[in-house]
């Protein structure tokens, strides 16, 4: 069984084997979270080539060899050759995470469908069974959690910092944290008023 986790990839070494459309999608997804991405493939798409030229990712123009991923933290097999993808899978070091772009069940991680509203991240996974269903669900969630939620989540973040600093009992703090989850505080003006009040109480 899989458990959903949020993983910090900032200092992790990521290697993508493959340079086609699927590899490109993986690169574009991961660039929101890290620049430590290395692509291995005899050929690459124009999009990947531009990213290499601008220094956002690195690239080795070569066929895959097992030694290429010995120190990787995350390995992605994304070629259109099953033989190569299988070679990658069999070469993944025991410490590394592995995603098989074509056959999710062969890896130990899958890529969910994701959308972000600044600090708010919502992801949906079907375990690789139906990415299109995941896309459909994400679309419906995007219509529910509009751009306004980016400001609202930032408000919750700031409020929590001030509430934790208040010299009141734990139950009172929890009551305030619960209160700001009400729809009342989706209103930007009410957010500003509440933050000003919190600041006055912390001083």
């Amino acid at each position: 069984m899989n458990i959903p986790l949020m993983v910090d990839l900032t200092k992790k070494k990521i290697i993508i084997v493959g340079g086609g459309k699927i590899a490109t999608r993986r690169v574009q997804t991961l660039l929101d979270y890290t620049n430590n991405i290395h692509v291995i493939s005899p050929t690459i798409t124009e999009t990947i080539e531009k990213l290499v030229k601008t220094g956002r990712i690195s690239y080795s123009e070569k066929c895959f060899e097992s030694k290429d991923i010995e120190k990787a933290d995350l390995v992605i097999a994304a070629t259109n050759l099953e033989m190569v993808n299988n070679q990658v899978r069999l070469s993944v070091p025991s410490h590394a995470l592995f995603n098989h772009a074509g056959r999710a069940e062969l890896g130990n991680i899958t890529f969910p469908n994701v959308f972000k509203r600044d600090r708010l991240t919502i992801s949906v996974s079907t375990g690789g069974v139906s990415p299109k269903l995941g896309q459909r669900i994400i679309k419906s969630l995007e219509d529910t959690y509009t751009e306004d939620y980016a400001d609202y989540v930032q408000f919750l973040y700031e409020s929590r910092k001030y509430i934790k600093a208040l010299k009141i009992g734990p139950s009172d703090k929890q009551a305030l944290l619960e209160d700001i989850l009400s729809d009342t505080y989706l209103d930007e003006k009410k957010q500003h008023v509440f933050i000003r009040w919190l600041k006055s109480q912390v001083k």
Side-chain angles (χ1 to χ4, degrees), residues 73-100:
D73 297 301
L74 169 59
V75 179
I76 299 171
T79 80
N80 58 1
L81 298 173
E82 186 58 34
M83 181 181 68
V84 177
N85 288 338
N86 191 51
Q87 182 187 359
V88 174
R89 180 176 66 85
L90 295 175
S91 302
V92 175
S94 59
H95 70 271
L97 298 173
F98 174 59
N99 171 251
H100 192 302

Side-chain angles (χ1 to χ4, degrees), residues 51-192:
L51 292 170
V52 173
K53 287 182 177 179
T54 56
R56 297 198 64 191
I57 65 173
S58 57
Y59 168 56
S60 293
E61 184 180 351
K62 64 188 289 294
C63 293
F64 172 73
E65 297 177 88
S66 297
K67 64 181 182 180
D68 294 330
I69 58 175
E70 288 178 350
K71 296 182 180 180
D73 297 301
L74 169 59
V75 179
I76 299 171
T79 80
N80 58 1
L81 298 173
E82 186 58 34
M83 181 181 68
V84 177
N85 288 338
N86 191 51
Q87 182 187 359
V88 174
R89 180 176 66 85
L90 295 175
S91 302
V92 175
S94 59
H95 70 271
L97 298 173
F98 174 59
N99 171 251
H100 192 302
R103 296 180 60 187
E105 71 277 7
L106 295 180
N108 54 21
I109 66 165
T110 59
F111 279 75
N113 298 96
V114 176
F115 85 91
K116 299 184 71 175
R117 296 284 186 250
D118 195 15
R119 289 180 179 273
L120 175 66
T121 300
I122 298 179
S123 64
V124 175
S125 174
T126 60
V129 173
S130 179
K132 290 189 178 299
L133 174 60
Q135 292 169 9
R136 184 183 302 175
I137 295 172
I138 282 290
K139 178 59 179 174
S140 68
L141 290 171
E142 285 179 335
D143 295 337
T144 300
Y145 297 95
T146 60
E147 292 290 345
D148 292 340
Y149 268 83
D151 293 332
Y152 176 55
V153 173
Q154 180 62 27
F155 158 73
L156 294 177
Y157 169 72
E158 292 182 21
S159 296
R160 186 170 183 269
K161 287 195 302 181
Y162 288 120
I163 290 171
K164 288 176 67 177
L166 292 175
K167 295 179 180 179
I168 57 177
S171 61
D172 292 326
K173 290 183 180 181
Q174 288 303 315
L176 285 173
L177 290 170
E178 188 69 31
D179 185 49
I180 59 177
L181 292 176
S182 70
D183 291 344
T184 300
Y185 290 103
L186 290 173
D187 185 299
E188 189 174 349
K189 291 181 180 179
K190 288 184 171 59
Q191 292 174 15
H192 291 315

